[in-house]
Amino acid sequence: MDDRWRNQRVAIALLCGSLLLRLYGAAVLGLGVDESYALAVSRAPTLSFLDHPPLGFMLARWMADVGGTEAAFWVRLPYLLLFTGSSVLLYILTCRLFSKAAGVWALAWFSVAPFMLISAGSWVVPDGPLIFFLLLAAYFLCSLLFEERPSRPMLRWMAVGVAFGLAILSKYQAFLVGGGALAFMLANRIGRYWLVRSGPYVAALIALAFFMPVVVWNAEHDWQSFTFQGGRAVAYHGFSFSDGAVNLLRMLLGQAIYLLPGPFLLAIWLLWRATRTQVLRTGFCAALALPPILLFNGIAPFAKDFLPHWSM
């Protein structure tokens, strides 16, 4: 059996194994605090919520309304399916950018990381939809940047806009990844080729159109969501150097636990290598990843409120 088929069989086994584990967990575990909160606050129709844009909560609400039940497994079902879609997208994207072997390794680490396997992979939290739609946007963007003469480029840019719009409708962190994509395009010839054409601007307008319900809700509620999230990055009273060191250590240890120590250290090393190479495909991945990593780890020593998964 050649390596191509072997890698595909391993990828299918990883996808099926991960899905079965997550289905089992979703069936036997009751709703957590965050999930119960999401279901409770989404019972009243609204354009957005205090702490998140609407999509991450509303998927569960739509399931509950259609099925007439808030049973844990039922309302978790779209999050389970979206994460399986994320796994497929990550595999395909990595294969296209690098190799099928790299795709298998990326899928393997993605599948076993505790945060991905347990929380983002099945729970009623915004991270699952965020990850899926960001990967979908990256997939279409990759095809535009790295294919020779891509067919129907405007249609692909529109797909980028829809996918990215749904990502920012899931969680605010999507804006940081979008900023990384823009920085990558500004920094190289391939990206600048597109920036003098209409496609990226059509994509941006579509994405902003998806985000408009959040803007309207905030305008009607004294910008409370933006103020709440921005306030979490403010330095707390009585800050000291030792407090900052402890906060940073907690942030790093939390990420190491959420990803597993091996993949966490490997990711740091690979990101360092990516910043020192001229390989555009590697730079593309680093550009998408670095903004949330640098921002949230950078503010952790000074912030009064932070969580390790924000940078993921």
Side-chain angles (χ1 to χ4, degrees):
M1 182 187 301
D2 63 33
D3 288 343
R4 181 185 62 173
W5 292 110
R6 182 181 299 110
N7 288 328
Q8 288 183 352
R9 289 181 67 176
V10 173
I12 291 170
L14 286 168
L15 285 167
C16 293
S18 170
L19 179 59
L20 287 173
L21 281 173
R22 290 182 290 106
L23 285 169
Y24 176 76
V28 300
L29 294 176
L31 293 171
V33 173
D34 288 348
E35 294 176 290
S36 300
Y37 168 78
L39 284 166
V41 300
S42 63
R43 286 171 183 160
T46 182
L47 291 175
S48 191
F49 302 98
L50 171 66
D51 38 4
H52 293 298
L55 188 58
F57 290 175
M58 291 309 300
L59 287 174
R61 172 49 46 202
W62 293 330
M63 288 296 289
D65 290 346
V66 167
T69 177
E70 293 183 352
F73 181 82
W74 177 252
V75 296
R76 286 169 173 164
L77 194 56
Y79 302 84
L80 285 156
L81 297 177
L82 280 176
F83 191 80
T84 300
S86 296
S87 302
V88 172
L89 284 170
L90 180 66
Y91 174 72
I92 293 173
L93 185 60
T94 311
C95 289
R96 285 195 172 190
L97 288 171
F98 303 107
S99 69
K100 290 191 180 297
V104 168
W105 278 108
L107 178 58
W109 291 126
F110 189 62
S111 300
V112 301
F115 175 73
M116 304 299 178
L117 180 64
I118 299 170
S119 178
S122 58
W123 288 357
V124 180
V125 291
D127 305 276
L130 170 74
I131 292 169
F132 175 81
F133 291 116
L134 282 179
L135 281 166
L136 188 61
Y139 170 81
F140 288 117
L141 186 57
C142 168
S143 71
L144 285 158
L145 295 175
F146 299 112
E147 282 184 18
E148 274 193 50
R149 298 181 180 178
S151 61
R152 299 182 179 179
M154 181 54 73
L155 188 61
R156 298 194 196 197
W157 278 114
M158 293 171 68
V160 171
V162 171
F164 188 68
L166 291 169
I168 59 178
L169 208 58
S170 302
K171 203 168 184 180
Y172 293 123
Q173 275 92 326
F175 278 110
L176 298 174
V177 180
L182 177 59
F184 175 80
M185 294 179 67
L186 288 168
N188 66 81
R189 179 180 55 82
I190 297 174
R192 291 193 294 271
Y193 167 84
W194 286 111
L195 288 175
V196 296
R197 287 159 174 78
S198 59
Y201 305 99
V202 171
L205 287 173
I206 292 173
L208 289 174
F210 274 89
F211 191 63
M212 283 309 297
V214 182
V215 176
V216 171
W217 185 93
N218 273 274
E220 293 174 346
H221 294 83
D222 299 321
W223 309 103
Q224 289 184 21
S225 184
F226 299 155
T227 303
F228 168 69
Q229 294 293 359
R232 303 173 95 173
V234 176
Y236 53 85
H237 180 69
F239 170 80
S240 68
F241 179 81
S242 60
D243 292 330
V246 169
N247 280 356
L248 181 59
L249 181 62
R250 285 171 51 207
M251 184 70 161
L252 295 175
L253 286 176
Q255 291 170 93
I257 293 169
Y258 285 0
L259 287 177
L260 295 179
F264 174 68
L265 294 173
L266 181 62
I268 293 174
W269 178 61
L270 290 172
L271 280 169
W272 171 251
R273 281 186 54 189
T275 62
R276 302 173 65 83
T277 182
Q278 299 298 315
V279 179
L280 286 182
R281 292 167 185 252
T282 304
F284 173 72
C285 296
L288 299 183
L290 279 171
I293 292 171
L294 294 176
L295 175 66
F296 293 118
N297 284 285
I299 66 174
F302 313 101
K304 62 185 178 181
D305 188 12
F306 62 88
L307 293 170
H309 70 276
W310 289 352
S311 60
M312 296 182 191

